[in-house]
Amino acid sequence: MSERKVVDARDSFCPGPLMELIANIRLIEVGSELELLSKDKGSAEEVPAWLTKVGHQHISTEKRGDHWSIVVKRVK
Amino acid sequence: MSSVPLFILLCSGEHEKIQMAAMMASVGAVSDRKVYVLVSMGAILAFAKDCPAETRYQGGATSALMQQKKVPDAIQLFRQGKELGDLTMKVCPMVMDIHGWELDHLVDDLFDGFTGLTSFLGAAEAGQLVTL
């Protein structure tokens, strides 16, 4: 499996982290995972909602101090 | 792409409303939804190509904070919606006429041409219309 890409969007406000995720998920291979780092309070809820809407997979959401780590998998 | 299209009629020049329109348009467009935006009335002033950055966005209780905290720029959000999703941006010919402007007076790489209100409302009958 290829190395997991990390997208650090901790300096961005809503909807910046989601838009950075969307721009970057297109750049990884189908089946690969991406980790989004975000301080935006909405990301923990918004990102899984977007993944469900468009058909990618939510792997995990973890609070790490002042930010969230959200791992997603490109499905299609 | 099964969702009904989203139609956003953006009339206000208030920063908060332009920001919300940009957020709705970009997030909607990247969520497998067709989004159509018609910019008219005072909102058009925020899209003037030569508008200084410090005066482009004005008004609303959180405008100064949004600029201070550097929230994503509304025009950049609209551009991202076009790049990453299915977003069409049109401008109202009436408001352009009263300013004496053509499309080249507006920011680059954003607008797809003119659409009048009658056409926009007609198309919006098949979708969800939000006015800001």
Side-chain angles (χ1 to χ4, degrees):
Chain A
M1 189 174 133
S2 59
E3 191 175 341
R4 178 187 286 167
K5 182 180 179 72
V6 177
V7 175
D8 188 348
R10 285 177 290 182
D11 62 347
S12 187
F13 288 86
C14 176
L18 176 64
M19 300 304 286
E20 290 194 39
L21 165 67
I22 293 165
N24 279 279
I25 204 168
R26 296 176 167 212
L27 304 178
I28 65 173
E29 293 179 3
V30 172
S32 297
E33 295 182 356
L34 180 154
E35 180 181 16
L36 175 70
L37 306 179
S38 173
K39 285 185 174 179
D40 169 47
K41 289 183 177 62
S43 292
E45 178 188 358
E46 295 280 289
V47 169
W50 179 79
L51 294 168
T52 299
K53 177 77 168 65
V54 302
H56 294 302
Q57 187 177 351
H58 177 220
I59 302 296
S60 64
T61 297
E62 180 185 346
K63 186 79 163 44
R64 290 184 189 160
D66 64 350
H67 68 277
W68 281 267
S69 160
I70 305 169
V71 178
V72 309
K73 183 176 185 177
R74 180 174 177 179
V75 172
K76 58 183 184 178
Chain B
M1 194 172 288
S2 58
S3 304
V4 297
L6 176 62
F7 293 81
I8 300 172
L9 179 55
L10 177 57
C11 300
S12 174
E14 192 173 288
H15 186 191
E16 291 177 338
K17 293 185 177 180
I18 294 172
Q19 189 73 21
M20 182 52 72
M23 292 166 68
M24 292 174 68
S26 57
V27 173
V30 298
S31 300
D32 286 351
R33 190 171 189 186
K34 285 181 180 288
V35 179
Y36 301 89
V37 177
L38 175 60
V39 177
S40 185
M41 300 298 176
I44 200 66
L45 299 174
F47 295 88
K49 184 185 292 185
D50 299 327
C51 184
E54 60 271 19
T55 60
R56 183 176 298 281
Y57 303 119
Q58 300 183 52
T62 59
S63 178
L65 261 181
M66 288 196 290
Q67 294 183 71
Q68 179 189 332
K69 300 282 188 178
K70 301 190 185 307
V71 300
D73 178 81
I75 288 173
Q76 290 305 320
L77 282 175
F78 282 123
R79 285 200 178 109
Q80 285 182 320
K82 288 179 68 75
E83 289 169 9
L84 302 173
D86 194 345
L87 170 60
T88 302
M89 297 279 300
K90 294 292 183 77
V91 61
C92 169
M94 180 279 286
V95 77
M96 295 292 279
D97 282 347
I98 61 175
H99 283 287
W101 290 355
E102 297 296 333
L103 282 177
D104 60 6
H105 281 78
L106 304 179
V107 292
D108 293 327
D109 305 323
L110 192 58
F111 288 98
D112 300 293
F114 298 95
T115 288
L117 188 59
T118 304
S119 300
F120 190 77
L121 289 177
E125 289 181 7
Q128 180 183 16
L129 175 63
V130 175
T131 302
L132 291 165

